[in-house]
């Protein structure tokens, strides 16, 4: 059985990814830091359906915690085939109001967290000469968003990091890709001012925001055998807002 780790897997897009991968036959480790209840309920529901899932806690900003998490996964499953770096936070506000602490928090989770997990995953995947890494970015990492400069910068960093790793890991048979969603129906979306979220819907050619399951479908494709020759790419399901 193939093994997958999804960071920030307890809620929103992460939860949909965990459910989709479990239904695709993966043993899924649902990583969480603060969302213990949500991750536990998701794991219990999947187990009740005869699927294979386990909640596992680690703060991705803590390198040692990530190392212990990966060690636990390898001890239990013997391998790691797929990593989805989904854990992330947003920030909304004008740049002159951004504090150093807010900047550091966004980059620590969105960028450093992705780095920590990729580093540990690579050590395991190189041993097997195969693996898939899928990093969740954002359409704002492609084009930038007003009043979301910190978030946009962090997701642009994830995109650049992923492209570099694709070249670095390719000779070992490991693919690295990005999914850069547009506006999606999650708690993060609800943090935006109502007028901003309504404007996003109006400006999106498809006239709506995405369901998390639609993002999970892209991840499932990139994890599949059909995507074996796809690496270093950014797929942005954004309803046509960014073309």
């Amino acid at each position: 059985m193939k093994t997958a780790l999804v960071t920030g897997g307890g809620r929103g897009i992460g939860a949909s990814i965990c459910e989709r991968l479990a239904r695709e036959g993966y043993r899924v480790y649902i990583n969480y830091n603060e969302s213990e209840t949500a991750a536990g309920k998701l794991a219990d529901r999947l187990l009740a359906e005869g699927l294979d899932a386990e909640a596992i806690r680690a703060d991705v900003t803590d390198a040692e915690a990530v190392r212990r998490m990966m060690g636990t996964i390898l001890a239990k499953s013997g391998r790691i085939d797929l990593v989805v770096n989904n854990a992330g936070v947003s920030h909304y506000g004008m740049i002159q109001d951004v504090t150093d602490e807010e900047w550091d928090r966004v980059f620590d989770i969105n960028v450093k967290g992705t780095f920590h997990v990729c580093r540990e995953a690579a050590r395991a995947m190189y041993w097997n000469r195969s693996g898939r890494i899928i990093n969740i970015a954002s359409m704002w990492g492609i084009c930038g968003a007003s009043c979301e400069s910190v978030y946009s910068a962090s997701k642009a960093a994830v995109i650049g990091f992923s492209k570099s790793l694709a070249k670095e890991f390719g000779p070992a048979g490991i693919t690295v890709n990005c999914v850069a969603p547009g506006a999606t129906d999650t708690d993060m979306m609800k943090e935006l001012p109502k007028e901003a979220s309504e404007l996003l819907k109006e400006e999106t050619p498809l006239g709506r925001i995405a369901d998390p399951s639609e993002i999970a479908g892209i991840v499932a494709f990139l994890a599949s055998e059909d995507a074996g020759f796809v690496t270093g790419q950014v797929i942005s399901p954004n309803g046509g807002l960014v073309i």
Side-chain angles (χ1 to χ4, degrees):
M1 177 179 287
K2 289 188 175 182
T3 299
L5 166 66
V6 180
T7 67
R11 301 182 300 147
I13 291 173
S16 286
I17 292 171
C18 288
E19 183 167 352
R20 179 63 182 266
L21 293 177
R23 297 191 188 286
E24 296 282 339
Y26 282 85
R27 174 173 176 76
V28 179
Y29 287 91
I30 305 166
N31 162 257
Y32 69 92
N33 183 29
E34 297 176 352
S35 302
E36 180 176 8
T37 300
K41 285 183 177 179
L42 176 60
D44 290 343
R45 178 166 63 81
L46 294 176
L47 287 169
E49 295 179 29
L51 304 174
D52 203 337
E54 179 179 339
I56 185 167
R57 183 183 184 281
D59 178 354
V60 296
T61 70
D62 183 337
E64 184 55 37
V66 172
R67 191 171 296 117
R68 288 195 303 269
M69 174 175 65
M70 192 62 69
T72 297
I73 292 171
L74 294 174
K76 290 184 174 183
S77 298
R79 59 187 293 133
I80 184 76
D81 300 283
L82 169 64
V83 164
V84 182
N85 281 296
N86 170 75
V89 293
S90 62
H91 180 275
Y92 188 86
M94 298 184 72
I95 190 64
Q96 58 264 41
D97 299 323
V98 176
T99 67
D100 287 359
E101 290 76 19
E102 289 170 332
W103 174 278
D104 289 344
R105 178 173 180 267
V106 172
F107 269 76
D108 280 351
I109 296 173
N110 295 2
V111 184
K112 188 181 286 185
T114 298
F115 158 64
H116 286 157
V117 176
C118 285
R119 180 172 61 184
E120 295 306 315
R123 289 168 175 164
M125 289 177 175
Y126 262 80
W127 182 262
N128 291 320
R129 308 298 290 179
S130 67
R132 302 286 172 91
I133 295 174
I134 302 168
N135 296 326
I136 307 300
S138 167
M139 66 176 177
W140 300 137
I142 299 172
C143 66
S146 175
C147 296
E148 293 191 69
S149 57
V150 181
Y151 179 71
S152 298
S154 72
K155 291 303 187 178
V158 169
I159 289 171
F161 181 59
S162 301
K163 290 182 176 183
S164 179
L165 290 187
K167 294 180 178 181
E168 185 174 329
F169 292 174
I174 302 166
T175 67
V176 185
N177 290 288
C178 259
V179 177
T184 306
D185 187 14
T186 64
D187 290 343
M188 187 179 290
M189 181 70 178
K190 293 179 177 66
E191 293 175 4
L192 286 176
K194 185 175 181 180
E195 58 273 18
S197 60
E198 288 301 320
L199 184 61
L200 274 174
K201 289 181 185 179
E202 292 175 10
E203 292 181 344
T204 299
L206 288 182
R208 64 178 179 87
I209 62 176
D211 185 85
S213 64
E214 294 177 295
I215 313 305
I218 302 294
V219 171
F221 164 70
L222 290 172
S224 73
E225 294 301 319
D226 289 338
F229 199 58
V230 179
T231 195
Q233 303 305 303
V234 182
I235 300 179
S236 183
N238 60 60
L241 184 59
V242 177
I243 297 176

